[in-house]
Amino acid sequence: MSARATVLLGYIPVSKLECFSTAHDARQLAGYRLYHYCMSKILEPLVEAGRSGVEMLCADGSVRCVFPILAAYIADHPEQCLVVNCQENHCPRGKIDPNKRGELDGCLLRSQKETLRQLNAHKSSDGNDPLPTGLRPVYEPFWARLPLCDIFSCITPDILHQLHKGVFKDHLVNWITAVVGKDELDRRFKAMANVPGLRHFKKGISHVQQWTGREHKEMQKVFVVLVAGAVSSTVLSVVQALIDFIYYAQLHLHTQKTINALKDSLATFHRHKEVFRDLKIREHFNISKIHSMVHYAEAISERGALDGYNTELSERLHIDFAKEGYRAGNQRDYIAQMTVWLERREAIKDRKEYFRWLSSLGSSNTAKPVKASADGASNADDSDDDSDEDIRFTPSTTPRLYHIAKNCPFRRVPLHQLHNGHGASELLGALCTFVKTHLPSAPALPRPNYSYSVYKQLKIELPWSPFISSEERVEKVRAIAPVHGQGRRQGSPGYFDPILVIEDMDAFKSRSPTAPLAGA
Amino acid sequence: MTSKYTFFKLIDQLPRRDGMKWTCELINVEGNILGEGGQPLTEVVELWSRNPVECVRELIGNPAFRDMMAYAPERVYLDEEGKERVIDEMWTADWWWRTQVRIMMFYVP
């Protein structure tokens, strides 16, 4: 369900379990077993329902026989290991030796049948030998009885922790910092031009204490270009490969081409990573988050694009469901109070929806607004799959729409001010040429004493791409003259964002990699 | 009678999702440390939960989601000849299709 409709199913008890000794990890093991026991209790109704199906009335009015099957388990690494029942230095999805996780190949997917067999064998033995593949002796994992369940392939990639925080920040940035030097890296960040859409790290990055997903993404946008010139071409190809992987992994839509590109960038990384060993920065690459990347391509083919498996969502929901619910009560018998609070909130939400539906009946406007125009310029509703032609994939051929301020901020600006403040010394000549070429019926050519209405910025709509996002994307272009400081008021620098204009479309379309700007 | 009390009384009169009621189960955990009487120490913990099948029933039947539901897997292609396959939501990916086929093979209405 892409609408992210989520329901809280239960509260698993957290206890110190002091009735267990801490020797031989007995207390820890008891904790794992309690978790699995509780999960099997909560999910018990799924066993029969998944086997025989349950008839349900669906939102479109039809009755369907529904088989609820566990399809995915979205969690971070420690919880993945808890669910799958393995030690944290192992891969939860596959059986690879924990010392060999630095390589590209060799991690075969674990099998539920085999794992349960191994657990049973261990249970019947005296239990002294360690279990294979890092399994923990929890003999009744909650997924054992769920029909059509393959828990290992349910473990989905976790982009936030594995790619942004792990591969990028904890590893790549640290390696590059070791190569380039902390101060030099900061200097390069500070030297970045101020461009709309890109965050400018004015003071560099080494002093930043708290990193959020936002910061990681902003750093990734500039990182390849930033280190170019400061590192060897081999190191640069590693950086590029990893950043490519991170971007491909986040696509909302995939084809075999994009999945292959994802695999290729990982292969490129593995091909060249030795350079960091040569530079004495890393002795090995046996890191769980780096290893996790080998499973991404398969996870996407099997379960879909990764924007549907976002751990950030459940962290957000934790705040909504747990923290807020707790604070709404008097902190005594808090779980009972939270459940009451939740039920009331759901009742209110249902009522609101009912009223909204009632009022929509009153108006005859139940048809969906027609968004796609004949020239295919606008977005189509993602949910509009009744149409025969899926407009999502029609490339946009129209000129882009642009937005400009309704009220012009600077009217009657004389030409000399445009020369001095904006540096537009060629403006008159260019304007005359434009008028002669495109407006031949104009009564007169622009003269030096004319004055102009000047806008500060232009917003251009980027062509819509289903691969990236279903939302509108806009690019800002600024032309702002510098303002001189007066007394206590500080001046501000000028901002003039460059644009490339395609003058010869045919030359541009047939351009080669050695002449990337042909026709522009 | 405070207004907060009457407010909650009104809310509690709203129709509820019956299937999604919370239940609490007490679990008796037996440890491996022996207590004074030679019996292992125990601890009672609470497990609060709801029936997941009923929760699915509520979600799948919720009219608010009517236009956002996919009930069956699809194979989606970019081109008319079906050469370039697209994968985005879960119903367009391989696992659902395979699982649906497996269920259909054994389903007896």
Side-chain angles (χ1 to χ4, degrees):
Chain A
M1 278 203 239
S2 57
R4 324 262 191 259
T6 322
V7 160
L8 181 63
L9 279 185
Y11 292 98
I12 297 195
V14 171
S15 157
K16 292 215 183 75
L17 292 177
E18 281 162 350
C19 49
F20 286 89
S21 67
T22 48
H24 306 298
D25 296 325
R27 203 176 277 187
Q28 244 183 0
L29 193 56
Y32 304 148
R33 289 182 175 154
L34 180 61
Y35 166 84
H36 278 274
Y37 179 77
C38 291
M39 285 293 283
S40 26
K41 283 263 137 181
I42 297 178
L43 301 181
E44 167 71 42
L46 291 183
V47 176
E48 187 51 42
R51 244 204 285 278
S52 354
V54 177
E55 283 195 351
M56 293 187 183
L57 175 60
C58 300
D60 61 351
S62 310
V63 173
R64 291 183 172 84
C65 187
V66 176
F67 293 80
I69 308 285
L70 181 64
Y73 197 110
I74 303 167
D76 60 6
H77 182 77
E79 195 177 339
Q80 288 177 355
C81 293
L82 171 64
V83 166
V84 149
N85 222 352
C86 73
Q87 289 159 21
E88 286 187 27
N89 62 344
H90 279 72
C91 174
R93 266 181 79 114
K95 298 190 276 192
I96 198 163
D97 184 314
N99 293 321
K100 300 225 176 83
R101 288 174 298 165
E103 291 315 308
L104 181 58
D105 300 311
C107 192
L108 296 172
L109 205 60
R110 295 175 187 258
S111 125
Q112 230 179 258
K113 239 200 241 174
E114 185 185 45
T115 304
L116 289 171
R117 209 175 354 107
Q118 288 167 337
L119 286 171
N120 276 334
H122 193 260
K123 186 171 171 195
S124 341
S125 74
D126 56 14
N128 282 334
D129 297 325
L131 279 154
T133 64
L135 290 174
R136 292 173 177 151
V138 174
Y139 300 121
E140 285 160 40
F142 73 80
W143 33 266
R145 296 175 58 223
L146 292 178
L148 293 175
C149 174
D150 175 29
I151 190 70
F152 305 109
S153 63
C154 287
I155 301 295
T156 49
D158 168 17
I159 293 185
L160 176 66
H161 296 107
Q162 289 168 347
L163 296 187
H164 293 314
K165 283 193 189 148
V167 170
F168 181 67
K169 179 65 178 55
D170 291 341
H171 303 299
L172 186 62
V173 173
N174 278 347
W175 300 346
I176 297 299
T177 307
V179 174
V180 164
K182 181 166 75 82
D183 294 330
E184 173 65 15
L185 200 58
D186 273 348
R187 196 184 70 82
R188 285 175 171 248
F189 269 103
K190 288 183 208 171
M192 291 284 319
N194 180 310
V195 175
L198 284 183
R199 166 139 166 213
H200 184 212
F201 290 90
K202 289 199 266 281
K203 300 191 192 141
I205 58 164
S206 58
H207 74 293
V208 177
Q209 304 285 29
Q210 262 296 55
W211 289 101
T212 63
R214 252 237 108 87
E215 265 93 40
H216 297 133
K217 290 180 190 160
E218 292 295 336
M219 279 175 70
Q220 283 157 14
K221 284 185 193 174
V222 301
F223 206 65
V224 178
V225 169
L226 200 110
V227 304
V231 297
S232 69
S233 59
T234 319
V235 173
L236 188 62
S237 54
V238 170
V239 176
Q240 200 161 346
L242 283 181
I243 302 277
D244 278 348
F245 185 92
I246 295 177
Y247 277 124
Y248 282 124
Q250 293 175 78
L251 288 179
H252 289 216
L253 192 148
H254 282 274
T255 60
Q256 196 54 51
K257 263 197 224 135
T258 61
I259 295 181
N260 287 342
L262 181 77
K263 290 205 263 200
D264 287 342
S265 45
L266 186 61
T268 307
F269 161 70
H270 278 279
R271 214 170 22 246
H272 297 299
K273 65 184 190 283
E274 292 306 314
V275 68
F276 290 107
R277 213 196 294 253
D278 298 336
L279 291 168
K280 307 264 191 278
I281 293 173
R282 285 295 317 177
E283 277 179 21
H284 67 85
F285 295 92
N286 195 25
I287 304 168
S288 73
K289 286 176 183 169
I290 300 229
H291 172 77
S292 67
M293 291 193 284
V294 313
H295 295 294
Y296 273 55
E298 189 181 36
I300 292 172
S301 308
E302 287 283 294
R303 298 296 209 271
L306 299 180
D307 59 325
Y309 304 104
N310 199 345
T311 48
E312 293 181 86
L313 179 69
S314 54
E315 297 195 0
R316 168 80 237 164
L317 288 174
H318 174 75
I319 297 173
D320 290 345
F321 285 150
K323 284 189 185 165
E324 268 197 47
Y326 179 81
R327 287 178 194 149
N330 61 9
Q331 285 86 56
R332 297 206 201 107
D333 201 11
Y334 54 87
I335 297 192
Q337 291 187 358
M338 280 153 87
T339 61
V340 169
W341 175 83
L342 258 179
E343 280 184 5
R344 282 178 176 156
R345 285 226 326 191
E346 280 163 4
I348 294 175
K349 209 160 51 130
D350 287 349
R351 200 61 163 177
K352 225 164 69 164
E353 271 306 314
Y354 175 64
F355 286 143
R356 177 140 37 118
W357 171 76
L358 272 183
S359 63
S360 78
L361 285 186
S363 61
S364 54
N365 187 16
T366 45
K368 281 193 278 234
V370 176
K371 277 191 175 180
S373 54
D375 45 27
S378 333
N379 303 345
D381 244 335
D382 262 7
S383 57
D384 185 21
D385 46 12
D386 295 340
S387 61
D388 283 5
E389 235 190 83
D390 202 338
I391 312 171
R392 293 192 289 175
F393 306 116
T394 313
S396 172
T397 48
T398 49
R400 299 169 182 179
L401 301 178
Y402 67 89
H403 305 263
I404 206 162
K406 211 166 28 175
N407 300 313
C408 174
F410 304 113
R411 293 176 189 266
R412 303 193 205 289
V413 178
L415 193 61
H416 69 83
Q417 206 166 314
L418 288 176
H419 280 190
N420 301 331
H422 288 255
S425 45
E426 316 274 323
L427 182 62
L428 189 57
L431 198 54
C432 289
T433 314
F434 179 83
V435 171
K436 276 192 237 166
T437 330
H438 297 275
L439 305 168
S441 52
L445 288 179
R447 300 240 276 268
N449 61 340
Y450 281 15
S451 57
Y452 300 84
S453 299
V454 178
Y455 291 81
K456 282 209 270 195
Q457 68 185 19
L458 193 67
K459 283 195 196 161
I460 303 181
E461 263 183 31
L462 293 177
W464 182 64
S465 167
F467 287 89
I468 301 178
S469 167
S470 50
E471 289 155 9
E472 222 174 56
R473 296 177 305 134
V474 157
E475 190 94 49
K476 240 200 296 191
V477 180
R478 303 167 300 180
I480 304 175
V483 171
H484 299 295
Q486 271 184 10
R488 282 179 65 234
R489 272 177 60 183
Q490 274 193 337
S492 56
Y495 296 106
F496 299 100
D497 296 324
I499 329 181
L500 290 174
V501 178
I502 302 173
E503 292 189 311
D504 182 345
M505 184 53 96
D506 293 323
F508 185 71
K509 279 200 174 144
S510 56
R511 68 198 190 284
S512 65
T514 49
L517 295 181
Chain B
M1 216 188 263
T2 64
S3 59
K4 194 159 91 162
Y5 174 72
T6 38
F7 176 62
F8 283 140
K9 275 208 85 171
L10 279 175
I11 295 185
D12 288 340
Q13 281 169 27
L14 286 173
R16 292 305 180 87
R17 305 174 177 182
D18 281 323
M20 285 170 67
K21 285 215 153 52
W22 286 91
T23 53
C24 176
E25 182 179 331
L26 296 175
I27 301 176
N28 203 14
V29 180
E30 194 179 277
N32 65 353
I33 300 180
L34 296 180
E36 285 175 2
Q39 295 295 323
L41 293 179
T42 61
E43 185 180 337
V44 175
V45 296
E46 290 181 354
L47 173 63
W48 287 83
S49 66
R50 286 156 139 179
N51 186 328
V53 174
E54 294 307 311
C55 290
V56 170
R57 193 193 296 274
E58 283 292 338
L59 286 174
I60 213 172
N62 191 336
F65 302 139
R66 186 170 44 130
D67 296 333
M68 307 176 213
M69 294 297 294
Y71 297 105
E74 286 174 15
R75 282 190 175 149
V76 182
Y77 299 91
L78 274 182
D79 56 320
E80 276 189 16
E81 296 94 52
K83 291 212 202 94
E84 224 183 333
R85 180 143 163 242
V86 159
I87 296 201
D88 63 348
E89 298 285 343
M90 200 199 256
W91 71 81
T92 58
D94 293 334
W95 176 83
W96 187 322
W97 186 283
R98 238 188 8 251
T99 307
Q100 185 83 49
V101 168
R102 282 172 76 182
I103 290 179
M104 301 298 285
M105 290 203 306
F106 299 106
Y107 172 56
V108 180

